[in-house]
Amino acid sequence: MDIFMVLALIGGLVMFLYGMDLMGDGLKKLAGGKLESILAKLTSNRFKGFLLGFGVTAIIQSSSATTVMLVGFVNSGIMKLGQTIGIILGANVGTTVTSWLLSTAGIGEGGSMIMKFFKPESFTPLLALLGFLMIASAKNDRRKNTGTILVGFAILMFGMEAMGDSVAALKDNEAFTSLLTMFGNNPIMGILVGTLFTAIIQSSSASVGVLQALALTCAIPYSTAIPLVLGMNIGTTITPIISSVSGNTESKRVAFSCLYIKMIGVAVVAGAFYIINAFVGFDFLKDTASAFNIAVVHTLFNIVSTVILLPFCSLFEKLAIATIKGKKDEETDTFSVLDDRFLDMPSFAVEKSKDLVCEMANISNESFRLATKLLDEYDDDTFNKVKKLESKVDKYEDKISTYLVKVAEKQIAAKESRVVTELLHCIGDIERISDHALNIAEVAQEISEKKIDFSDKAKQDIKIITAAVTEVLYIAIEAMTNDDLDMAKCVEPLEQVIDRLKRKIKNGHITRLRQGDCTMELGFILSDLLTNYERIADHCSNIAVCFIEMSHDSFETHEYLNNLKSGDVTEFKEMYETYKAKYYME
């Protein structure tokens, strides 16, 4: 085997791995985060878990990707360890689908013209061309992702063919033949080599594919193929183990569950197989295994081991807990859902980020509610709660914005990109709302300390504008949380009414000041309070307008507001009049 053969083999392997990655990425994007959401909402039923694990892995073509998802879910507190065992077993079977796709490389040898057409080297160029045309002419993400899948599959098959061609000369090489024979005579060595090779490339589908490529041109006996396939199944567990290094105790237990399931499965199946072989002597072990036969071996192992191990899911959970010491119910950090593992699942990462933004908005709303409560009855405990909530919102802003920037750096679909942009704009406004809530609490503290008492008219006016701001804040948050465009359109008319209320209250204060019914000091405090109310309403407007404009793939917020204020917008005027009547002030 000369240097050029090695280079050709490396080139084929790189094409194979890249094609598999490209195809898997396209499949995940086409699913649009639905697969991750389904897994995250799974019940503890092990049989449902098995079916979902099988289905998801068969679609995304990678058990490693599925198990890394599970590590992230458990690390984030979305799932429990016990829920993952059935899914892992299902993923082990689902990953065999790839080997069946690759086994088509053996079709058409010496057959009719029709059968030869079904050889990958015949139809993959057409798939590559179709995929390229779909990507080049794509007007939506769905079409582009479908094209990516087709191109990825074509590259994968070309890579497999290149690997097969590069090692074709090895079939007559005595050294290579001796190496294969060594694995056949020493299955433990074969298992170790298969484990090591798969641990390096971190994909059992890819390593089995390489073995299938070798089988196309070299005479690989079953005695060699079987232990290699068994080892490859163990080697794929390296990915979740690496992924769990930075995780919490529970996520590490998930990774070790993957390892134990594979190791015990191999030990049981291989032990039974070779013990029976010692007494019976399977003649087929000397026969040559085709790419199709290797797919059969890979699938049979995973099905048989799953059938044997599925009833013992709880034992694997106990074994993982015994291995990784720690508190089973350790507290999960609020921000653990912002897991870097989810960056490879942009749709899911964006969904979880939005959930946290909505939590952040509700905290700001609670802060405002407590702050306005202090205006009626001040107490230090409530004031301190408002301060703590404001600090909490600051932390939310820092963590979420940092994570969203990471998501934005990924190649994400237009829909996810729109949501990321919307969230990045909204979190600043939400944080400012909590700041103004704290300012209101400080105004209430000043009123209490100076024993200031507003006139009955001023108190009534403050109650009216407080109710209006409370409603506009509620509408803005609900619109953002539920993606409710109709509610979002209600914000700006109410914000305009709040501006009007502020002007009326200020004018009323000036009138009372002239009449000697009020003081300058009261005026400064009232002005601070009204300014904070107005700013909160402005930030609610920013949130709603951002949501409305982004829903139209635009961000011309100033143009939108100008059109509302100067244009003939009947709906806006009707809502404005309704809110003006609701918050009528004499």
Side-chain angles (χ1 to χ4, degrees):
M1 189 173 187
D2 57 26
I3 184 65
F4 298 106
M5 193 181 295
V6 172
L7 291 175
L9 176 61
I10 292 173
L13 179 60
V14 170
M15 286 178 64
F16 182 90
L17 294 174
Y18 177 68
M20 178 168 286
D21 184 64
L22 195 64
M23 184 172 68
D25 188 52
L27 285 162
K28 282 190 281 188
K29 286 182 179 178
L30 192 64
K34 294 176 183 177
L35 300 178
E36 294 90 339
S37 297
I38 290 172
L39 282 177
K41 296 172 183 175
L42 186 69
T43 64
S44 57
N45 186 301
R46 70 183 67 175
F47 297 104
K48 286 183 181 179
F50 169 80
L51 292 174
L52 281 171
F54 171 79
V56 169
T57 307
I59 291 171
I60 66 175
Q61 305 278 302
S62 174
S63 61
S64 296
T66 302
T67 51
V68 168
M69 280 188 218
L70 298 179
V71 169
F73 291 154
V74 172
N75 187 66
S76 306
I78 298 172
M79 292 180 70
K80 298 294 183 183
L81 172 63
Q83 291 177 282
T84 66
I85 308 298
I87 300 174
I88 294 168
L89 290 167
N92 292 343
V93 179
T95 194
T96 63
V97 170
T98 309
S99 63
W100 287 102
L101 291 174
L102 299 176
S103 69
T104 58
I107 294 176
E109 295 293 344
S112 64
M113 182 67 70
I114 295 176
M115 287 302 295
K116 286 182 179 179
F117 178 78
F118 286 99
K119 280 182 62 63
E121 63 189 54
S122 302
F123 69 79
T124 47
L126 298 177
L127 292 181
L129 176 61
L130 178 61
F132 171 75
L133 292 175
M134 291 182 75
I135 294 171
S137 62
K139 293 182 180 179
N140 57 64
D141 291 326
R142 188 175 185 83
R143 186 181 181 89
K144 183 177 180 180
N145 292 331
T146 303
T148 301
I149 293 167
L150 295 177
V151 171
F153 180 71
I155 294 173
L156 180 150
M157 297 306 293
F158 278 126
M160 185 173 179
E161 185 180 347
M163 285 191 294
D165 291 343
S166 69
V167 296
L170 291 177
K171 62 183 178 182
D172 300 320
N173 187 295
E174 292 184 5
F176 183 72
T177 303
S178 299
L179 183 65
L180 294 181
T181 304
M182 180 186 72
F183 291 159
N185 295 332
N186 189 343
I188 294 178
M189 179 63 71
I191 291 172
L192 291 175
V193 170
T195 300
L196 180 62
F197 179 66
T198 307
I200 293 171
I201 63 175
Q202 295 192 32
S203 172
S204 61
S205 296
S207 58
V208 170
V210 172
L211 185 61
Q212 287 176 297
L214 288 171
L216 292 175
T217 54
C218 303
I220 298 180
Y222 278 103
S223 59
T224 297
I226 290 174
L228 285 174
V229 169
L230 294 177
M232 289 169 179
N233 276 276
I234 296 175
T236 192
T237 61
I238 191 66
T239 306
I241 289 174
I242 293 172
S243 178
S244 70
V245 169
S246 60
N248 59 21
T249 301
E250 287 289 280
S251 66
K252 291 181 173 66
R253 288 169 178 170
V254 174
F256 273 84
S257 294
C258 297
L259 177 62
Y260 289 143
I261 286 170
K262 287 292 190 180
M263 289 184 67
I264 293 173
V266 168
V268 171
V269 173
F273 179 81
Y274 285 108
I275 288 172
I276 295 172
N277 180 57
F279 291 98
V280 177
F282 295 123
D283 293 334
F284 73 88
L285 289 175
K286 298 177 182 178
D287 296 339
T288 300
S290 65
F292 176 82
N293 299 142
I294 290 171
V296 171
V297 170
H298 186 37
T299 304
L300 274 178
F301 161 72
N302 281 287
I303 290 176
V304 171
S305 63
T306 297
V307 170
I308 294 171
L309 301 178
L310 190 59
F312 303 102
C313 288
S314 59
L315 293 180
F316 284 107
E317 182 180 359
K318 291 176 182 177
L319 184 59
I321 291 172
T323 305
I324 306 297
K325 302 296 183 180
K327 295 180 180 179
K328 183 177 180 180
D329 299 320
E330 69 180 66
E331 187 177 349
T332 303
D333 179 30
T334 302
F335 304 105
S336 60
V337 293
L338 304 179
D339 197 311
D340 285 350
R341 298 173 188 84
F342 297 150
L343 293 175
D344 292 327
M345 303 169 251
S347 298
F348 189 78
V350 171
E351 179 187 330
K352 291 303 163 188
S353 297
K354 183 171 182 179
D355 289 344
L356 278 186
V357 171
C358 293
E359 283 183 26
M360 176 184 175
N362 287 323
I363 294 169
S364 288
N365 189 25
E366 175 65 7
S367 181
F368 172 76
R369 187 189 69 80
L370 292 174
T372 55
K373 183 181 175 183
L374 289 172
L375 293 171
D376 296 325
E377 186 179 351
Y378 179 83
D379 70 89
D380 288 330
D381 288 341
T382 303
F383 179 81
N384 290 330
K385 283 181 183 177
V386 174
K387 288 184 69 175
K388 287 179 181 178
L389 290 176
E390 193 275 333
S391 297
K392 190 174 183 180
V393 168
D394 287 346
K395 189 174 182 181
Y396 268 77
E397 182 193 29
D398 178 55
K399 295 286 186 180
I400 298 171
S401 59
T402 301
Y403 190 72
L404 285 173
V405 169
K406 291 181 183 178
V407 175
E409 291 172 351
K410 297 286 183 178
Q411 291 184 341
I412 56 178
K415 180 182 177 183
E416 278 74 47
S417 179
R418 178 181 67 79
V419 177
V420 168
T421 303
E422 178 187 326
L423 294 178
L424 282 170
H425 279 89
C426 287
I427 56 178
D429 288 297
I430 294 169
E431 190 275 332
R432 291 297 296 147
I433 289 170
S434 73
D435 288 343
H436 290 300
L438 179 59
N439 292 344
I440 292 169
E442 289 171 346
V443 169
Q445 186 183 51
E446 184 178 1
I447 291 172
S448 175
E449 289 175 350
K450 294 181 178 179
K451 300 188 183 305
I452 291 172
D453 190 26
F454 289 109
S455 67
D456 291 339
K457 181 65 172 71
K459 288 178 181 178
Q460 183 61 30
D461 290 347
I462 290 171
K463 282 185 179 180
I464 292 173
I465 195 171
T466 299
V469 176
T470 300
E471 182 171 1
V472 79
L473 183 54
Y474 169 79
I475 293 172
I477 293 172
E478 285 295 302
M480 181 187 68
T481 302
N482 301 315
D483 292 330
D484 193 327
L485 202 58
D486 291 332
M487 285 195 79
K489 291 177 181 177
C490 296
V491 172
E492 190 57 29
L494 183 50
E495 190 274 336
Q496 294 292 305
V497 169
I498 291 168
D499 285 347
R500 179 177 179 275
L501 292 174
K502 178 193 172 186
R503 289 193 297 271
K504 288 204 69 168
I505 294 172
K506 277 196 168 186
N507 291 336
H509 168 71
I510 292 172
T511 300
R512 290 190 297 274
L513 188 64
R514 287 172 179 170
Q515 295 172 349
D517 297 332
C518 199
T519 66
M520 289 293 292
E521 186 177 28
L522 279 173
F524 289 132
I525 293 174
L526 182 62
S527 178
D528 285 346
L529 181 62
L530 294 177
T531 298
N532 282 292
Y533 276 159
E534 181 191 32
R535 297 281 168 78
I536 288 174
D538 289 341
H539 289 299
C540 288
S541 173
N542 292 343
I543 292 169
V545 172
C546 173
F547 174 62
I548 292 169
E549 286 299 279
M550 292 304 292
S551 68
H552 298 123
D553 294 322
S554 172
F555 200 66
E556 298 296 331
T557 55
H558 294 294
E559 182 180 341
Y560 171 80
L561 291 174
N562 288 333
N563 290 336
L564 284 181
K565 294 173 184 178
S566 61
D568 182 21
V569 185
T570 304
E571 184 183 16
F572 174 83
K573 290 181 178 179
E574 288 177 352
M575 285 191 286
Y576 175 80
E577 292 299 326
T578 300
Y579 284 123
K580 191 168 94 170
K582 183 176 181 179
Y583 297 105
Y584 176 74
M585 185 179 293
E586 295 181 358

